[in-house]
Amino acid sequence: MNPAGAGAGAEAGAGAGGTGRARTSRPVTPVPASTVEHYDAVTDVLVVGYGCAGAAAAYEAATAGAGVLVLERAGGPGGSSAQSGGELYLGGGTPVQHACGFEDSADEMYAYLAAALGPHADEEKLRLYCDGSTEHFQWFVDRGLTFEPTLWDQPTWMPTTKDGLMWLGENAWPYNEIARPAPRGHRCATDAFGGWLVMEKLVAAAKAAGATTHADTLATALVVDDTGRVVGVRARRHGRELTYRARKAVVLTTGGFADNEEMLADHAPHLIGHGKVSDGLDDGSGIRMACALGAATRRMATVEIALTALPAMVTRGMLVNAHGQRFINEDVYPGLFSVAAVLTQPAPYWVIIDEEGYESIPEKDRWGVLPLHVTGTLAELEAELRMPAGALESTVAAYNTYAARGQDPFFHKDPRWLRPLKGPFAAVDPRAGFHQGGRPSAGAGTGAAGFTLGGLHTTVDGAVLDVSGEPVPGLYAAGRAAAGIHGEGYISGTSLGDGTFFGRRAGKAAAGGA
């Protein structure tokens, strides 16, 4: 799956004074180049972080003729990108869309994303992304990814097949009235999660283009000359301090800050207490290093949240809050119903479904999820869930009245998923997660996990801007270290899509030495 603000000063992650909260994040004070006596390695373009954005930047910079060195703090490339679902949000009329019988255009894609990623999506970046989408699709194909010409036509977090195309809420209200519906979730040919395969192909391409890698190397600060230009990076490997020189530019592709509790408290507190969708190393280090130079940030409060509620069940029943009330049409992209739940509704949240709806889901698509609460009547279910008496009964009665007519006047769920619910009834607890048999385990969490979407303020070519709106010389950023196309919303595939698209542009610009 698989989520504003203005610029930061010398310590992104250090919020307003007077909190009394101890700081544990390591110092990121810039290193004056005049104090560096020796460089352990010299290259043209230094890329910091080897997820999808770093791989794309490294490939393009190397293809442009620059010498490229990638620093990766882990034992090898991949990062959170490799652990992702692997969806790529692409459209505008790709060969996969055509093979599945769908017409699309950059304008329709833009209209949907501007609404779904909004409010306040970055219009300039989004326009470029949509206009360049079919070319970007071909770029992935040229790097060795293949896509089956088939569609997964069910609501899901992740198809259990190799289908190359999936819906990501484009056919749900109100988006189906904003833009002509067309599925744009592109999936490379592998079962279930495919982030590993995307990264495998991109890393191979970068290596073939000439990029080299230093793994187990943690960047700790930027090196700056007396004109304010970024000329390198201070790093640490196995306890040894190293200094790297970049003749042309440094590109930060270090990920977001979901794993930095201090930064979450200061910028994105909605994620505190919830699970994190990351490889465990999204600590905001690149953002902080740039902010120590006066770099600006954008959208730092914006997050994506995923509720472990199975879309196949939610659409066949309903999603309710602690008071037994519906609050959204359940057939939207599941990240949207997740954010609506966690950010606007009283917890806990429940998936309410009847026996017919549950049994209609193919067993492999149930992901091992079993209802913990099963009763013959709604009154009994209300009591078990500690809801106000009559609340769930009232919700289901209204739902059933209109569902019998194929209508949902409250939230406009598609008639495909509407039918009256009848006993016996069940409630599924998202706090149990998937593949746990329906019962929360000891120490189970909130049933929600997420990641950050805000980051460094960059131009469309990845140049990092300072708090005055001027480029920081020699510094670029892409991926979740930067604020990309997103406003306050998120759709699966826009992380890998945005990260690679603008990572490519950053790599090209960095190789030009501008």
Side-chain angles (χ1 to χ4, degrees), residues 100-491:
C100 293
F102 293 95
E103 295 297 321
D104 195 18
S105 70
D107 288 343
E108 298 286 359
M109 179 181 177
Y110 177 87
Y112 172 67
L113 285 180
L117 300 183
H120 315 306
D122 189 310
E123 295 181 0
E124 183 182 14
K125 288 182 177 178
L126 184 56
R127 186 73 255 182
L128 278 172
Y129 182 71
C130 294
D131 288 345
S133 184
T134 54
E135 184 276 334
H136 197 41
F137 171 86
Q138 187 60 45
W139 183 83
F140 282 111
V141 172
D142 292 343
R143 306 287 79 75
L145 288 173
T146 60
F147 301 84
E148 295 294 326
T150 54
L151 172 70
W152 176 272
D153 195 27
Q154 300 282 328
T156 186
W157 281 112
M158 178 61 55
T160 56
T161 65
K162 292 183 179 179
D163 290 311
L165 196 61
M166 65 183 292
W167 291 100
L168 290 169
E170 299 93 344
N171 54 350
W173 185 89
Y175 308 104
N176 57 6
E177 296 182 357
I178 294 172
R180 179 176 59 189
R184 301 188 186 93
H186 286 67
R187 304 178 59 251
C188 54
T190 184
D191 293 317
F193 287 71
W196 66 273
L197 182 55
V198 174
M199 283 305 304
E200 181 180 276
K201 298 298 184 182
L202 296 187
V203 169
K207 182 178 180 180
T212 59
T213 308
H214 286 187
D216 295 313
T217 304
L218 174 66
T220 57
L222 297 172
V223 179
V224 186
D225 69 14
D226 56 7
T227 70
R229 183 179 185 86
V230 175
V231 296
V233 165
R234 178 66 53 83
R236 188 169 61 247
R237 185 193 310 133
H238 305 311
R240 180 188 172 200
E241 189 172 83
L242 305 168
T243 309
Y244 291 84
R245 172 83 164 93
R247 298 187 190 95
K248 292 179 177 291
V250 171
V251 184
L252 297 173
T253 55
T254 48
F257 58 96
D259 297 309
N260 187 321
E261 293 295 316
E262 292 176 5
M263 290 183 72
L264 289 182
D266 289 335
H267 303 293
H270 289 305
L271 282 189
I272 294 176
H274 297 301
K276 310 300 187 296
V277 180
S278 78
D279 66 346
L281 300 176
D282 286 348
D283 65 355
S285 58
I287 299 172
R288 296 179 64 244
M289 286 189 290
C291 287
L293 291 177
T297 56
R298 200 161 185 260
R299 304 277 186 257
M300 291 290 280
T302 306
V303 298
E304 162 61 354
I305 297 173
L307 194 65
T308 47
L310 196 63
M313 291 186 183
V314 172
T315 51
R316 289 169 170 83
M318 62 177 63
L319 183 64
V320 301
N321 61 25
H323 300 159
Q325 300 164 323
R326 291 178 70 211
F327 49 89
I328 196 170
N329 49 319
E330 293 87 352
D331 57 334
V332 295
Y333 166 66
L336 296 180
F337 71 56
S338 299
V339 169
V342 176
L343 299 191
T344 71
Q345 301 297 312
Y349 323 106
W350 301 96
V351 180
I352 306 299
I353 193 168
D354 63 1
E355 183 176 23
E356 180 181 342
Y358 182 86
E359 293 296 333
S360 70
I361 305 171
E363 185 172 355
K364 68 175 182 177
D365 297 332
R366 296 176 192 161
W367 291 22
V369 175
L370 296 171
L372 175 60
H373 304 274
V374 179
T375 63
T377 69
L378 290 170
E380 292 172 307
L381 194 58
E382 287 172 344
E384 284 200 20
L385 304 183
R386 299 182 180 180
M387 291 178 177
L392 186 59
E393 286 183 304
S394 176
T395 297
V396 174
Y399 180 88
N400 285 351
T401 296
Y402 289 103
R405 307 172 193 170
Q407 301 174 354
D408 178 18
F410 300 106
F411 300 105
H412 310 284
K413 182 192 286 189
D414 192 280
R416 176 183 181 184
W417 305 110
L418 290 174
R419 62 170 184 79
L421 305 179
K422 54 184 184 296
F425 301 97
V428 178
D429 189 348
R431 291 170 295 182
F434 298 131
H435 309 290
Q436 291 190 23
R439 183 179 297 275
S441 60
T446 64
F451 51 84
T452 58
L453 291 171
L456 296 169
H457 192 183
T458 61
T459 68
V460 296
D461 290 318
V464 175
L465 300 175
D466 66 18
V467 293
S468 297
E470 297 296 324
V472 177
L475 187 62
Y476 295 81
R480 288 187 189 154
I485 60 178
H486 304 90
E488 296 176 29
Y490 181 81
I491 297 293

Side-chain angles (χ1 to χ4, degrees), residues 16-86:
T19 63
R21 193 166 62 244
R23 294 290 165 181
T24 59
S25 294
R26 65 177 183 274
V28 290
T29 306
V31 177
S34 59
T35 66
V36 178
E37 298 180 353
H38 167 74
Y39 286 100
D40 296 276
V42 179
T43 188
D44 292 328
V45 175
L46 190 63
V47 179
V48 185
Y50 214 166
C52 73
Y59 171 82
E60 294 291 355
T63 300
V68 179
L69 176 60
V70 186
L71 304 184
E72 169 54 46
R73 66 186 296 181
S80 297
S81 299
Q83 297 182 9
S84 73

